[in-house]
Amino acid sequence: MFLINCPFCGEREQSEFKAGGEAHIVRPKQPTELSDDEWAEYLFMRKNIKGVQFERWNHVHGCRKWFNMVRDTSNDQIKAVYKMGEKPPVE
Amino acid sequence: MKNKYSVFSLIKNAFSYHENWEKAWKDPEPKKEYDAVIVGGGGHGLATAYYLAKKHNMKNIAVVEKGWIGGGNTGRNTTIIRSNYLWDASAGLYDHALKIWEGLSQELNYNVMFSQRGVMNLAHNLQDVRDLKRRTHANRLNGIDAVYLNTEEVKKFCPIINTSQDIRYPVLGGTLQRRAGTARHDAVAWGYARGADEMGVDIIQNCEVKGIKRNGDMVEGIETTKGFIKTKKIGVVAAGHSSVIANMAGLKLPLESKPLQALVSEPVKPIIDTVVMSNAVHAYVSQSDKGELVIGAGTDDYVSYSQKGSHDIVEGTLNAILELYPIFSRMRMLRQWGGIVDICPDASPIISKTSIKGLYFNCGWGTGGFKATPGSGDLFAHTIANDEPHKLNAAFNINRFVSGDLVDEHGAAAVAH
């Protein structure tokens, strides 16, 4: 359990949020052109990093807005929080 | 040859105050080269090594474990064993394991305390009732024992359940698999370790894998904290850390690693003589031989390797437990812990070859791997030894995420994720 600094609401308990998995997976521009391998990569394959990971979160029990987070999955420490569409912070 | 455990060896050792029991397994340093190396010394990894040595005559093999054997999810699960899964492929896989469980203590000469006390899965709404009835029929068509119970029969089988229809999620019925039950999880790891060691398998603890050496699309060996080990076959059974090992080989897996929690109460006299699981409200409970209630909570929804979960998950589970079992309202919880489970998108495992020759993965067991330990080891050993899957694990190949031939067992997984 940890606190999350929602970019819209401020610091709230993690239980108010829903994790949305790995961030910056871009939906294919031409879905009809995709091979089965590329679909598998897009739909199922995940980095699942032990360490610093970029991910999406949704403040479901608050403002209900989506945002991005940089978090160390080995100790749950949050490195940065930024809005959708913003450039991910570099280190 | 190891001394056989028996009542006579027990009496003999009593005369020397139990100070002269021989070690159940050696603690060797790694050799330079093995025919196969298993990464991960949990139940599944040790079982894999055991069956490689026993059924496939591969004696020059090692199990490398970064901590101590059975210290990961093998020692953290809630020990439930059952095979009442929906699809034919899963039924074949899990019932194969259950059949091995039934003779495992004798085979290993090690008491794994397998207890067929039955597992009951509860229904709390009409969709649950339909799903569970469907699963009961599917099980019976696959030769797996299953019966559907109505509310009165549930109450009769486990009298402490609150079957009042006035609670928020009333019990509308349930399924029962009588051959299902529990086993002592540590003993499973120790029994397989002892058996494998006896056949010459090196069990190397405190040895963490740091890299996988490849020559083109073939494996050459592993870098470990105890040096380089040359091998042509690597079987990875690393549970929550499977993706970490896969990344070392330049592979990506369809897994997410999440914390799963469990807790036990103070020990009390026998009060519940079966295992009761409820998927809808997420409460499952059984009682250990020591008398503790063993309670399984759900997974957190975020990726984490921290081996601890969120408090609200435990709170939610205990809310459900108290509504279903008001008699437990004054029980005190003694210990709570988390383990990291590797969850597949279809809630079924991967026991498969990979695109890299000599690299095999047994992962994705998610929240329900313990029950499959013997079967998983047997089938993974077959896959490694023959470089081909056994017919029982052919459906659980990694290519199903490309072909779309998934084995969706979210309903039978019984833990929300």
Side-chain angles (χ1 to χ4, degrees):
Chain A
M1 189 159 211
F2 42 87
L3 294 173
I4 294 174
N5 192 12
C6 171
F8 305 97
C9 310
E11 208 164 70
R12 300 292 172 85
E13 277 184 18
Q14 172 266 319
S15 57
E16 289 189 15
F17 297 81
K18 171 100 183 124
E22 191 180 319
H24 306 299
I25 299 174
V26 182
R27 188 179 163 78
K29 290 244 166 23
Q30 302 278 353
T32 50
E33 312 279 297
L34 246 49
S35 69
D36 288 351
D37 282 309
E38 287 165 325
W39 269 120
E41 179 74 19
Y42 168 69
L43 284 174
F44 298 125
M45 300 303 163
R46 294 292 176 263
K47 289 183 190 147
N48 197 22
I49 293 166
K50 183 180 187 178
V52 176
Q53 166 159 298
F54 293 79
E55 42 193 35
R56 301 176 304 172
W57 284 75
N58 185 359
H59 195 181
V60 277
H61 299 299
C63 62
R64 303 189 65 194
K65 284 187 179 131
W66 284 92
F67 60 94
N68 291 315
M69 187 192 287
V70 188
R71 189 172 56 94
D72 189 334
T73 60
S74 62
N75 55 17
D76 292 336
Q77 276 184 10
I78 298 168
K79 305 288 183 193
V81 171
Y82 56 102
K83 290 179 186 171
M84 284 287 166
E86 286 180 1
K87 274 227 159 92
V90 189
E91 281 312 294
Chain B
M1 189 67 188
K2 280 203 165 54
N3 291 325
K4 199 167 182 291
Y5 290 156
S6 68
V7 65
F8 303 108
S9 69
L10 192 64
I11 294 166
K12 187 178 144 219
N13 279 280
F15 286 109
S16 53
Y17 302 97
H18 296 293
E19 283 170 359
N20 295 323
W21 286 100
E22 75 175 324
K23 277 191 171 174
W25 55 86
K26 298 176 289 289
D27 197 12
E29 285 302 307
K31 287 189 243 171
K32 292 249 175 323
E33 183 174 357
Y34 290 98
D35 295 337
V37 173
I38 306 300
V39 178
H44 290 243
L46 293 163
T48 304
Y50 175 84
Y51 292 114
L52 272 175
K54 186 175 176 186
K55 293 173 87 169
H56 305 283
N57 206 29
M58 289 178 71
K59 312 278 183 185
N60 183 32
I61 59 177
V63 177
V64 294
E65 163 59 46
K66 74 171 172 174
W68 64 96
I69 63 165
N73 292 352
T74 299
R76 292 164 189 267
N77 63 76
T78 50
T79 78
I80 297 167
I81 295 162
R82 61 189 172 88
S83 64
N84 54 354
Y85 282 71
L86 178 67
W87 300 106
D88 295 354
S90 317
L93 178 67
Y94 291 102
D95 212 51
H96 177 61
L98 183 48
K99 283 177 189 143
I100 303 178
W101 277 114
E102 287 173 332
L104 192 61
S105 292
Q106 285 72 24
E107 184 186 341
L108 294 177
N109 178 228
Y110 204 102
N111 187 3
V112 298
M113 296 164 86
F114 180 52
S115 158
Q116 291 178 296
R117 58 185 68 186
V119 169
M120 193 158 66
N121 289 80
L122 300 179
H124 295 277
N125 54 52
L126 291 176
Q127 189 59 44
D128 276 359
V129 172
R130 284 189 286 262
D131 287 346
L132 288 181
K133 280 186 176 165
R134 178 190 179 201
R135 189 134 63 84
T136 307
H137 294 314
N139 289 158
R140 294 170 74 148
L141 286 171
N142 277 315
I144 292 168
D145 69 305
V147 283
Y148 187 82
L149 308 178
N150 63 27
T151 310
E152 290 72 42
E153 289 163 332
V154 167
K155 182 80 177 171
K156 200 171 162 215
F157 188 68
C158 184
I160 59 169
I161 293 184
N162 177 9
T163 50
S164 159
Q165 295 303 295
D166 297 331
I167 61 176
R168 177 65 184 85
Y169 298 102
V171 177
L172 300 185
T175 62
L176 174 61
Q177 185 182 17
R178 290 184 195 274
R179 282 164 66 231
T182 59
R184 182 171 179 215
H185 48 196
D186 302 315
V188 179
W190 298 338
Y192 273 122
R194 178 168 171 266
D197 180 89
E198 186 176 356
M199 291 183 284
V201 175
D202 280 355
I203 296 164
I204 303 155
Q205 303 180 73
N206 298 311
C207 180
E208 185 176 354
V209 174
K210 291 291 187 190
I212 290 178
K213 194 170 172 217
R214 280 171 60 175
N215 178 7
D217 58 358
M218 281 170 65
V219 294
E220 286 200 319
I222 51 171
E223 291 290 350
T224 75
T225 47
K226 293 193 173 181
F228 181 72
I229 302 172
K230 199 174 162 196
T231 184
K232 287 199 174 71
K233 290 188 175 202
I234 303 170
V236 183
V237 207
H241 282 70
S242 298
S243 297
V244 176
I245 308 276
N247 288 342
M248 292 174 188
L251 281 181
K252 246 164 130 184
L253 295 172
L255 298 176
E256 286 195 307
S257 296
K258 297 176 176 182
L260 177 68
Q261 296 177 83
L263 56 162
V264 294
S265 72
E266 59 191 334
V268 290
K269 293 208 169 167
I271 179 72
I272 178 165
D273 63 356
T274 185
V275 183
V276 186
M277 313 184 71
S278 167
N279 199 350
V281 298
H282 212 290
Y284 63 94
V285 64
S286 62
Q287 191 172 17
S288 74
D289 292 345
K290 282 186 284 183
E292 305 151 320
L293 294 182
V294 182
I295 296 169
T299 56
D300 281 292
D301 69 344
Y302 52 86
V303 169
S304 178
Y305 289 84
S306 64
Q307 285 195 329
K308 57 191 177 197
S310 301
H311 190 71
D312 57 299
I313 301 285
V314 171
E315 196 178 353
T317 289
L318 289 178
N319 282 340
I321 292 275
L322 287 189
E323 182 153 273
L324 280 176
Y325 312 92
I327 193 174
F328 294 153
S329 66
R330 294 191 183 185
M331 294 283 284
R332 283 166 293 194
M333 293 299 141
L334 276 193
R335 290 179 289 128
Q336 169 273 347
W337 63 91
I340 302 305
V341 296
D342 44 330
I343 297 175
C344 256
D346 59 356
S348 284
I350 296 166
I351 311 172
S352 178
K353 301 202 285 186
T354 64
S355 53
I356 300 165
K357 193 164 166 39
L359 184 63
Y360 307 86
F361 269 87
N362 182 353
C363 59
W365 289 95
T367 57
F370 176 73
K371 66 175 76 69
T373 304
S376 154
D378 183 31
L379 299 173
F380 196 41
H382 181 99
T383 307
I384 294 172
N386 299 304
D387 197 37
E388 278 301 323
H390 188 277
K391 68 179 188 326
L392 287 176
N393 69 305
F396 299 96
N397 66 71
I398 205 163
N399 282 331
R400 72 179 190 266
F401 297 97
V402 176
S403 69
D405 192 9
L406 303 180
V407 189
D408 183 359
E409 288 290 359
H410 283 281
V415 173
H417 45 64

